[in-house]
Amino acid sequence: MTAPVTAQSIGAISCHVCGLLVSKRFIAEHRADCPRCDAALHSRKINSLNRTWALLIAAAILYIPANVYPVLTLISFGRSTTNTIMGGVIELAQSGQAVIAVIVFVASVFVPIFKIAALLFLVVSVQLGLKVQRRKRALLYRFTEFIGRWSMIDIFMISILIGLVKLQALATVTAGPGAIAFAAVVIITMFAAMSFDPRLIWDDEGNDNDG
Amino acid sequence: MEINKDFSYTEAFIACPECDLIHSTPKIREGEQGRCIRCGALLFVRHKNSLNRSLAFALTGLMFFILANLFPLLTFQMEGQSESNRLIDGAIAFWNAGYWELGIVVFISSVVAPLAVLLVLITLLLPMQLGRSPFSPQFQVRLLSHLKPWAMSEIFILGIIVAFVKLQDFADVSVGLSLVAFVLMVAATVMAYLTLDEGALWSRLKEIRA
Ligand SMILES: [Zn+2]
Ligand SMILES: [Zn+2]
């Protein structure tokens, strides 16, 4: 198959903010920013693979304290219950809230692991020059980028509980240090997804005899 | 595909944002969309009356945002004592408990970014509606694209639902007026985004400036 016609192959850059197609000749002669929206123009995200790697490693390390340390403590009538992320899910399931338990499990446990694994796979597949299933990998990236934010459910839930439940002797909810690590995992993986450039999946298509 | 490579910048072609493949800008009708033939990414959308409708939704969203800040979100009762919270109380509670990082994160994602998105849309679209150029459309469009991932109101709603369910186990919880307003604000914001056609935005700006 012949090499596909891309912005890169015709010597142009597509603005990542407004989508205007700008020729490199224009950039060299006039300005480095988009003539329509003034955004800095880059053919590919800068240092995409290294940045994504670094952020993924940081997220994977923080994933441990995020799950080991408690995220919240409830004190009611002198009795205190402390929950980790997973403990919160189990407690919801035990109290018969199956649907909510599944939602929280997916958002807080499944999504962060899935996201780190999926981005790791995408980065490695680009570095190894994998030539198959490009469209599926593109879809995987789009899905990963979409679901990442939903892990914030637990952080918002904790913020609401600690802001609401403060009836001194009767009931008080306090946050635990696991919450900081967990929020950091969510935000760092969001940055990791943003720093990965999905165009890298396609860049070597048509350069040789592949499908 | 025949491409005249001798352009400075062009709207006749666009490159797919996710795979870089060049497509010629099609004549698609209102209500239709165009996807990349190689990777399936969404490339074009056309909406009827895009800018007016987006502005209307953004104004509606702002109104509900203000309402959402006036009343309690949830009210919690136990042994005759009760406690309510407002939208910003979660962020404040984190801050007061010494978790200032989380306070900032929650404040930005549930209050600042959702409000900023609406204000940017309004300050962009309202002057255009009146036939005037916004103060800096370039800056405003870039700001909007940076704000978008951090405005997490829809996720905040799920957080409220989970908190509500957890509290139900040991206390009486009731939904406040603000929660209704907040849900409507999220719906209006989503609609403002969905109806906004950036192609129409740039061409309208060109007309205004001409
Ligand atoms: Zn641009
Ligand atoms: Zn594409």
Side-chain angles (χ1 to χ4, degrees):
Chain A
M1 109 181 238
T2 55
V5 182
T6 62
Q8 196 168 51
S9 77
I10 62 165
I13 293 178
S14 164
C15 171
H16 71 283
V17 172
C18 77
L20 189 69
L21 194 62
V22 187
S23 77
K24 284 182 181 156
R25 184 175 47 80
F26 176 85
I27 294 165
E29 288 171 7
H30 296 274
R31 46 184 282 171
D33 297 336
C34 173
R36 187 159 71 177
C37 78
D38 292 344
L41 292 166
H42 304 290
S43 182
R44 294 293 175 268
K45 289 177 187 171
I46 298 162
N47 213 353
S48 169
L49 297 177
N50 285 340
R51 263 173 138 151
T52 313
W53 258 118
L55 291 164
L56 286 177
I57 291 169
I61 293 169
L62 282 165
Y63 187 79
I64 299 164
N67 283 280
V68 170
Y69 288 109
V71 292
L72 84 110
T73 301
L74 163 72
I75 301 166
S76 183
F77 297 111
R79 214 168 50 94
S80 97
T81 342
T82 294
N83 278 164
T84 55
I85 290 280
M86 195 60 210
V89 176
I90 293 169
E91 202 179 84
L92 277 170
Q94 282 171 346
S95 65
Q97 301 289 351
V99 177
I100 299 290
V102 169
I103 291 174
V104 176
F105 176 79
V106 170
S108 303
V109 182
F110 175 75
V111 167
I113 295 177
F114 176 84
K115 214 176 154 182
I116 293 172
L119 285 170
L120 207 62
F121 165 72
L122 288 169
V123 171
V124 170
S125 78
V126 167
Q127 285 179 327
L128 296 178
L130 193 68
K131 300 193 185 314
V132 293
Q133 307 282 23
R134 295 183 207 264
R135 205 178 161 108
K136 282 201 179 122
R137 281 185 280 150
L139 196 66
L140 177 67
Y141 174 70
R142 218 168 291 149
F143 181 67
T144 305
E145 211 190 13
F146 170 77
I147 57 169
R149 302 152 17 107
W150 289 91
S151 306
M152 286 297 280
I153 290 177
D154 253 343
I155 297 297
F156 291 141
M157 180 271 288
I158 296 164
S159 85
I160 291 155
L161 289 184
I162 64 174
L164 185 59
V165 187
K166 37 187 187 189
L167 295 177
Q168 310 305 336
L170 282 178
T172 315
V173 174
T174 53
I180 291 188
F182 185 79
V185 169
V186 179
I187 290 168
I188 290 169
T189 52
M190 279 176 71
F191 279 118
M194 287 177 201
S195 57
F196 179 75
D197 194 330
R199 289 170 292 197
L200 300 176
I201 297 171
W202 302 90
D203 273 347
D204 61 349
E205 194 188 39
N207 289 347
D208 36 44
N209 299 322
D210 64 86
Chain B
M1 195 188 336
E2 272 311 302
I3 288 175
N4 175 13
K5 294 182 189 176
D6 195 30
F7 61 85
S8 303
Y9 49 89
T10 180
E11 287 171 29
F13 302 103
I14 75 158
C16 171
E18 292 183 31
C19 80
D20 217 30
L21 192 70
I22 296 283
H23 297 70
S24 52
T25 307
K27 287 264 173 287
I28 58 170
R29 278 180 305 224
E30 286 171 344
E32 290 182 338
Q33 46 173 242
R35 291 185 173 273
C36 174
I37 51 163
R38 179 159 77 161
C39 77
L42 185 63
L43 297 181
F44 311 94
V45 275
R46 287 287 170 277
H47 293 292
K48 201 179 164 191
N49 240 336
S50 157
L51 304 182
N52 290 349
R53 286 171 64 190
S54 185
L55 174 61
F57 281 122
L59 287 168
T60 312
L62 182 64
M63 190 189 79
F64 284 125
F65 182 88
I66 294 166
L67 287 176
N69 281 281
L70 295 180
F71 308 100
L73 277 179
L74 293 175
T75 302
F76 155 83
Q77 278 183 309
M78 210 175 165
E79 310 271 310
Q81 290 192 48
S82 83
E83 191 84 60
S84 303
N85 72 337
R86 294 161 302 162
L87 183 57
I88 55 166
D89 283 341
I92 294 172
F94 266 140
W95 183 279
N96 288 342
Y99 293 104
W100 58 271
E101 309 89 337
L102 291 174
I104 292 170
V105 167
V106 171
F107 187 55
I108 289 176
S109 54
S110 65
V111 182
V112 178
L115 175 63
V117 160
L118 293 170
L119 291 179
V120 172
L121 278 173
I122 291 168
T123 54
L124 189 61
L125 297 173
L126 190 59
M128 289 173 66
Q129 174 76 15
L130 304 171
R132 302 221 306 267
S133 180
F135 75 96
S136 176
Q138 292 91 332
F139 172 73
Q140 287 163 287
V141 168
R142 275 181 291 132
L143 185 61
L144 203 56
S145 82
H146 288 301
L147 283 171
K148 221 171 163 176
W150 307 105
M152 304 191 188
S153 322
E154 71 279 22
I155 303 163
F156 191 81
I157 291 177
L158 267 180
I160 297 172
I161 294 171
V162 177
F164 182 89
V165 168
K166 272 188 173 280
L167 287 177
Q168 258 187 339
D169 267 2
F170 66 96
D172 289 323
V173 223
S174 55
V175 169
L177 253 183
S178 275
L179 187 55
V180 181
F182 195 73
V183 171
L184 292 171
M185 186 276 282
V186 171
T189 307
V190 169
M191 288 309 292
Y193 264 131
L194 286 180
T195 50
L196 183 66
D197 170 355
E198 285 196 17
L201 181 85
W202 295 115
S203 50
R204 179 87 183 97
L205 269 173
K206 222 193 238 170
E207 282 169 32
I208 290 172
R209 285 166 164 180

